[in-house]
Amino acid sequence: MIIINTFKVEKHKGKNSIQGIIDENGCWICRSHKPRKRYGRSSKFSYYQIVVGKRDDGKKNGMLMHRYIFELYNNTSIPKGMVVRHKCDNDLCINPEHLEIGTHKENMEDMSLRGRSTRGEKTSNSDLREEDVLEIRKLYKMKEFNQTQLSIM
C-alpha cells in the first residue's frame, strides 16, 4: 500500500476523532480505531467499529464504521435490510465516495462479477483442480463412465 495522504473526518463530533491514511486508490483507511474481528479471521478481513452511544441496558452501542460514515455523509439512515457496499472492493475503506447502499443480493453479485468469491480451486476444501473437473465432465458426457466409476478414478 502506498500512502498518498492523511484524513480526518471533520463531520464526526464524537469523543475520539476518526482519522487515518489515504492510499493510492483514494481509499480512506482508518488508523484511529481498531478493526473488529469477524468469524475468527485475522484483522485483514475485518471492519472497523465505532461506539455511537449506549443501549437501554447501559452497554456500548457499536456500529460498523463504513455504515456510520455512509449515514454521516449522506445525512440519512440505512433502511432495514440494506447493506453499505464498497465500490472499491476494499472492506477497510471508509471513503464516503466509495460507499453506496444496496441489497445483500447486489453485494454478492458484485463479489462474484469481480472475482472476489471463493469458488472452485479458491476454496480451502477443494479436492479438484479446474482441469480435473473439465476432464471428468468430458468423460461423463462421452457416456463411457458412470458417476460411480468417475468418483473412484
Side-chain angles (χ1 to χ4, degrees):
M1 174 189 326
I2 300 170
I3 299 172
I4 303 297
N5 209 337
T6 60
F7 73 89
K8 181 176 181 183
V9 177
E10 300 295 339
K11 286 187 167 201
H12 173 65
K13 303 299 181 208
K15 185 172 74 173
N16 299 322
S17 65
I18 300 171
Q19 48 194 347
I21 60 168
I22 301 172
D23 73 9
E24 68 273 15
N25 299 315
C27 293
W28 294 7
I29 309 300
C30 182
R31 293 292 187 232
S32 57
H33 293 71
K34 290 184 179 180
R36 179 186 86 159
K37 291 197 176 185
R38 289 192 311 180
Y39 315 115
R41 295 180 185 175
S42 69
S43 60
K44 178 181 175 189
F45 299 103
S46 301
Y47 293 114
Y48 295 102
Q49 189 164 342
I50 187 167
V51 174
V52 289
K54 292 190 176 184
R55 301 186 313 207
D56 293 338
D57 61 5
K59 292 185 179 179
K60 293 177 183 177
N61 191 24
M63 184 175 193
L64 296 177
M65 182 74 75
H66 65 289
R67 293 177 66 89
Y68 172 76
I69 294 292
F70 181 87
E71 287 186 353
L72 185 67
Y73 276 83
N74 291 287
N75 200 26
T76 186
S77 293
I78 301 163
K80 187 174 175 127
M82 300 299 277
V83 298
V84 175
R85 301 159 55 203
H86 292 85
K87 293 187 264 187
C88 56
D89 291 334
N90 182 348
D91 289 349
L92 296 178
C93 179
I94 60 170
N95 182 341
E97 293 179 8
H98 293 190
L99 304 174
E100 66 183 350
I101 201 157
T103 65
H104 177 70
K105 181 180 179 188
E106 290 169 331
N107 206 27
M108 294 299 104
E109 287 170 352
D110 282 350
M111 183 178 67
S112 181
L113 287 171
R114 296 174 183 166
R116 293 184 292 119
S117 60
T118 51
R119 292 187 56 158
E121 293 180 48
K122 291 182 183 178
T123 61
S124 60
N125 60 350
S126 175
D127 291 330
L128 299 172
R129 296 185 321 259
E130 185 175 356
E131 51 270 15
D132 297 332
V133 172
L134 295 173
E135 181 66 20
I136 290 167
R137 287 179 179 164
K138 183 176 116 188
L139 291 170
Y140 184 71
K141 197 173 190 178
M142 292 169 43
K143 299 189 189 262
E144 292 187 26
F145 301 97
N146 63 33
Q147 290 177 355
T148 304
Q149 292 168 321
L150 288 170
S151 72
I152 57 174
M153 293 180 111

